[in-house]
């Protein structure tokens, strides 16, 4: 199909190309009858105004990329649901990419990739990338990083205070009289920063209460999924001395752990109390409802988008900052029992 | 910041602009030493190859738009998770937009909108758009529609056979001896096609079994969310003659309905059996696990992407087709009881 041009529309409508351009760009100074003629011609020819050409002229695509490891993880889905309207309010469309946490894919996105730059800036929640990978990125790309990375001064980082939040979660279990507390979700390898911060909070809460940590109760998992919780909980219940409480590094892990506990005929929280992390909607409706740490997702989205737009519009380098959103402990049935919300 | 050009890179590297272009475009005929010089200059200057210009030349953006009503609805999140790799395999990036089911927003996306065409084609799951809206769309935009719309011959439609699937769900409840079966999720207004097909299946299953339909047991809801299930189920339980089974039009609705039933101290499925729709991961781990209709999401994604790419590449108009993916009934604990998977 030969591409329809502005000139074709002008010819069919019997007006000048300038007039067609005025209609396409929504300028007001076009007589209604003329506008209608042009619009009819546009419709008849199936003309598509050349946005790419327009972007080329001003050097902006009007798009920001938001890159998450998994779209079907409720935490990321809820975060995206908050980021999109914030970006739109700032005049940007959102191009979403998901990486499966693959280091190479993530690296291409923040590097001088063959994928090129169809976006003006990026918000990324990296899983595979190490801190080191982030420092060798393309510095020309305005970047805001979510999750548990530390800014090296060239990008902004938005998150919550993971250590404090994890300490709050475990302190809640201790305050309920639990003493054999397990942790599910540790990731002691290079890129497991999020998990490692949560493990530090786990230790900090024990230290603050003068309790020893049973190292064998800290269970590593590959990801933060339901299946990881199912498997890890089964291993904990197979022990001679199972825990009386578990701090799960995500609500999905908690959901999987609860699944295993209920299948074994044990009671929550009487036999084992469970607390998760993320405050996804699922945990508010499940049985039992899941006690959790609730990061302020709206604030995270807002901070990330505002900061990125500022960065895109800035004529010179902008120093990277750490931005912390609030978090709250939300106790529910999985620690407080049936009387709880 | 002045934009760095190809010429700047060439100057710094001491090569011709043509050579820089060859490196940027990944052409093979560049000597390794030269390539390295150019890449070093690119890194030093923070040069960004102008993808917009390249796209302008070939008239393609290499992006497809995928438009869903809500990103934080697990069904759409899982579908997107399947669409993105399929698109990537076909050489396309995915631009995701979410509309909150807003008719005007959806209409702009498929119309000759001021948003322009930064994408070569679109897969849309419309909520607000009526059948009529779809027929007045921009015919120049290659379009594949998901969900329960009927093609008017100008776009393709990919879905499952909703009436058959709903009939299967309700027939399952009837086969378990249930006779007072409610339905939660009807939407009798103009754009509620998905819901209306499920209600037709609900009726068809009753008719096939020679059972009358109690119209008062068909409950309308605004959306297919957990909170809709909570509210509708509460109303059903407040009746003097509550149902002994409920067909919920999504797993989220089922999750909400189960929440209400458990809070009231009733047993599932002994007092009330529940079946949902969508087979989201949540339902495989919840208590009870949720019996459901499982649409083949991978097949839906694959069919939609393949068809769209074919449409984008086609030189002339392509007749619209209906493509049906498979579905399966998956009985779980919410209808079969604890012994079930």
């Amino acid at each position: 199909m030969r591409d329809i041009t502005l000139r074709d529309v002008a010819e069919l409508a019997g007006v000048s190309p300038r007039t067609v351009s005025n209609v396409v760009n929504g300028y007001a100074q076009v007589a209604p009858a003329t506008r209608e003629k042009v619009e009819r011609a546009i419709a008849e020819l199936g003309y598509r105004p050349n946005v790419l050409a327009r972007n080329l002229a001003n050097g902006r695509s009007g798009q920001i990329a938001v890159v998450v490891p998994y779209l079907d993880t409720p935490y990321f889905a809820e975060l995206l649901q908050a980021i999109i309207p914030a970006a739109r309010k700032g005049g940007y469309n959102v191009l979403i990419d998901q990486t499966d946490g693959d280091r190479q894919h993530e690296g291409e996105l923040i590097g001088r990739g063959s994928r090129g730059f169809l976006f003006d800036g990026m918000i990324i929640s990296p899983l595979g990338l190490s801190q080191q990978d982030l420092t060798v990125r393309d510095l020309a790309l305005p970047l805001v990083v979510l999750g548990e990375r530390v800014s090296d001064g060239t990008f902004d980082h938005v998150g919550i205070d993971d250590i404090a939040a994890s300490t709050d979660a475990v302190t809640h279990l201790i305050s309920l009289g639990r003493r054999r507390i397990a942790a599910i979700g540790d990731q002691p390898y290079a890129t497991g920063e999020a998990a490692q911060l949560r493990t530090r909070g786990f230790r900090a809460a024990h230290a603050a209460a003068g309790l020893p940590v049973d190292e064998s109760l800290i269970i590593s998992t590959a990801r933060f999924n339901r299946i990881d919780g199912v498997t890890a909980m089964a291993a904990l219940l197979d022990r001679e001395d199972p825990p009386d409480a578990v701090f799960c590094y995500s609500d999905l892990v908690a959901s999987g752990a609860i699944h295993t506990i209920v299948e074994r005929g044990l009671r929550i929280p009487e036999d084992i109390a469970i607390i998760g992390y993320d405050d996804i909607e699922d945990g508010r409706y499940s049985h039992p409802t899941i006690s959790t740490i609730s990061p302020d997702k709206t604030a995270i989205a807002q901070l990330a988008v505002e900061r990125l737009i500022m960065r895109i519009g800035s004529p010179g380098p902008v120093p990277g900052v750490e931005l912390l959103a609030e978090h709250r402990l939300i106790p529910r049935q999985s620690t407080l029992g049936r009387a709880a919300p």
Side-chain angles (χ1 to χ4, degrees), chain A:
Chain A
M1 222 169 5
R2 183 178 77 80
D3 275 353
I4 306 299
T5 66
L6 196 100
R7 199 163 291 278
D8 298 326
V9 176
E11 230 165 75
L12 181 62
V15 301
S16 73
R18 175 88 248 141
T19 302
V20 176
S21 168
N22 285 341
V23 170
V24 164
N25 289 297
Y27 298 138
Q29 72 279 32
V30 183
T34 310
R35 178 180 301 276
E36 208 191 302
K37 263 197 300 190
V38 172
E39 293 199 330
R40 205 160 42 223
I42 287 175
E44 229 164 277
L45 294 171
Y47 170 66
R48 294 158 44 155
N50 200 327
V51 180
L52 288 176
R54 213 186 299 160
N55 289 340
L56 188 61
N58 68 18
R60 292 277 165 76
S61 69
Q63 295 189 97
I64 61 175
V66 181
V67 181
V68 296
Y70 310 103
L71 276 170
D72 58 358
T73 295
Y75 175 73
F76 293 119
E78 293 181 7
L79 201 57
L80 282 169
Q81 182 84 9
I83 287 175
I84 290 176
R88 207 175 275 155
K89 229 168 60 187
Y92 282 85
N93 275 326
V94 170
L95 172 72
I96 295 176
D97 205 344
Q98 59 98 9
T99 60
D100 292 323
D102 180 64
R103 181 182 165 188
Q104 195 190 334
H105 187 160
E106 290 178 352
E108 281 170 11
L109 283 169
I110 63 163
R112 294 174 296 104
S114 56
R115 302 168 60 95
F117 291 94
L118 278 166
F119 37 86
D120 301 329
M122 183 186 288
I123 297 173
I124 187 170
S125 179
L127 263 200
L129 291 179
S130 68
Q131 191 70 44
Q132 168 64 12
D133 292 328
L134 279 170
T135 66
V136 298
R137 69 186 192 84
D138 173 14
L139 294 178
L141 173 68
L143 186 71
V144 173
V145 174
L146 304 182
E148 296 70 22
R149 289 299 189 284
V150 180
S151 171
D152 64 356
T154 69
F155 58 83
D156 302 308
H157 170 253
V158 182
I160 63 168
D161 184 337
D162 265 85
I163 299 181
S166 303
T167 307
D168 290 352
V170 178
T171 300
H172 172 61
L173 297 174
I174 294 172
S175 77
L176 296 171
R178 305 300 163 129
R179 291 297 175 266
R180 284 190 54 69
I181 304 174
I184 300 181
D186 192 33
Q187 295 174 342
Y189 43 87
T191 58
E193 282 98 338
Q196 288 162 27
L197 293 177
R198 291 174 202 184
T199 303
R200 281 171 62 186
F202 176 79
R203 292 184 194 284
H206 280 77
L211 290 174
V213 167
D214 181 343
E215 296 293 331
S216 72
L217 291 178
I218 301 177
I219 311 293
S220 297
T221 60
R223 288 176 48 179
F224 287 177
N225 281 348
R226 287 189 174 97
I227 192 67
D228 299 308
V230 166
T231 311
M233 195 67 228
L236 284 170
L237 292 181
D238 285 342
R239 294 165 58 111
E240 275 176 27
D241 51 353
D244 59 10
V246 184
F247 170 40
C248 298
Y249 291 13
S250 79
D251 284 352
L252 285 185
V253 168
S255 162
I258 289 170
H259 184 76
T260 298
I261 295 169
V262 172
E263 292 297 308
R264 300 264 183 127
L266 297 170
R267 295 160 310 157
I268 301 172
E270 292 81 355
D271 298 315
I272 301 178
I274 298 283
I275 189 163
Y277 205 99
D278 289 344
D279 191 23
I280 62 173
E281 188 187 88
D282 185 6
R284 286 168 233 155
Y285 290 89
S286 61
H287 296 283
T289 54
I290 302 176
S291 302
T292 194
I293 293 294
S294 180
D296 188 339
K297 297 179 198 106
T298 311
I300 292 172
Q302 196 64 40
L303 287 170
V305 168
E306 278 170 11
R307 190 76 195 165
L308 185 65
I309 291 179
M310 186 278 288
R311 224 166 231 292
I312 292 170
S314 170
V318 177
V321 293
E322 296 285 337
L323 296 165
L324 285 189
E326 298 290 317
H327 71 267
R328 290 179 304 134
L329 168 73
I330 303 187
R332 296 199 183 105
Q333 292 170 350
S334 68
T335 55
L336 298 184
R338 284 305 299 273

